[in-house]
Amino acid sequence: MSMRNTEMGIEAATEQIVAVYEDAGVTHSGEHATTVNQLTDQLPALQPRTLEAARTLLSGAGSFDVDKLAVEEDKGLPFGVLVAREYSLPLAVARWYTYDLNADRQSAVEIDSEYFSGDLYLNGIEPGDAVTIVDDTISTGGTMIAMIEAIEKAGAVVEEAHCIVEKTRKNGVDRVAEETGVDVTTSIAIEIEGNNVNVIDK
Ligand SMILES: O=P(O)(O)OC[C@H]1O[C@H](OP(=O)(O)OP(=O)(O)O)[C@H](O)[C@@H]1O
């Protein structure tokens, strides 16, 4: 049976996401250990209460007084969609592949993140746009730096950047601030230790 959502406060939203990470699994592949959970991997299936918690935390993180919202595929995209709907903002998406149709208008940059290295292609940002970036997670900060570079390369300005979760070991928030001058907000901090996910008090 489906039920319509009601508003959730920041505290309840934080508790919901913390509970997700306390239940999260950890998977190891090669040199990497990563958490697998309902928020970022839909495993188990993303529950409406978690989606609403994510929306609450992201949309409460800034003013969103900008021209456009930008998000990188694919884990941040469901949350970007909700925030774009909430603030009635056009949504630009950065992808790992190019569309030949408007290659002259896309902004291509190199990306080096915790799990992916290659190129990132951003469409839909025009010179002069004021932009807010949203994503699910920040770890090394590589994705956020690539997003900021792509937006600036398109002649636009990054006003705000918000992630729901920060993986603290790689100090991504500090790295982004040092390399770009953009302060990324986060609502929950986690650390992966062995087969556990530890939630850290912020
Ligand atoms: O700070 P970073 O080291 O860049 O890590 C953060 C990125 O990692 C996750 O994406 P992932 O690579 O797992 O997949 P996605 O890009 O498809 O969402 C997450 O969605 C961020 O985009």
Side-chain angles (χ1 to χ4, degrees), residues 72-75 96 113-115 135-143:
E72 187 240 7
E73 67 158 355
D74 67 286
K75 292 184 178 133
W96 304 351
S113 73
E114 188 168 11
Y115 306 108
D135 207 348
D136 61 318
T137 311
I138 182 168
S139 178
T140 65
T143 301

Side-chain angles (χ1 to χ4, degrees), residues 23-190:
D23 276 352
V26 172
T27 180
H28 300 264
S29 71
E31 62 189 278
H32 296 295
T34 191
T35 158
V36 175
N37 62 79
Q38 63 160 279
L39 180 76
T40 58
D41 308 279
Q42 299 80 44
L43 204 169
L46 177 61
Q47 296 300 308
R49 190 172 167 76
T50 303
L51 192 58
E52 175 60 6
R55 185 198 66 79
T56 301
L57 295 177
L58 269 185
S59 64
S63 74
F64 296 89
D65 185 15
V66 288
D67 303 307
K68 279 177 189 154
L69 200 65
V71 64
E72 187 240 7
E73 67 158 355
D74 67 286
K75 292 184 178 133
L77 192 47
F79 315 117
V81 168
L82 292 181
V83 176
R85 169 70 176 80
E86 181 162 349
Y87 286 98
S88 296
L89 288 170
L91 180 65
V93 180
R95 296 199 157 90
W96 304 351
Y97 54 89
T98 177
Y99 291 97
D100 287 333
L101 276 176
N102 68 343
D104 56 325
R105 294 179 63 197
Q106 80 189 350
S107 184
V109 294
E110 286 179 10
I111 176 171
D112 185 16
S113 73
E114 188 168 11
Y115 306 108
F116 176 76
S117 291
D119 295 311
L120 190 69
Y121 303 92
L122 176 65
N123 290 282
I125 299 292
E126 312 289 336
D129 280 343
V131 182
T132 291
I133 303 169
V134 293
D135 207 348
D136 61 318
T137 311
I138 182 168
S139 178
T140 65
T143 301
M144 191 57 78
I145 288 168
M147 287 293 288
I148 293 165
E149 286 175 355
I151 290 165
E152 291 178 347
K153 196 171 170 185
V157 177
V158 176
E159 295 288 351
E160 303 175 0
H162 309 296
C163 295
I164 304 166
V165 176
E166 132 182 39
K167 289 157 97 176
T168 55
R169 270 196 210 283
K170 303 282 169 75
N171 295 318
V173 171
D174 291 343
R175 188 178 154 217
V176 174
E178 279 160 26
E179 292 191 24
T180 70
V182 173
D183 290 322
V184 181
T185 74
T186 64
S187 298
I188 314 280
I190 64 162

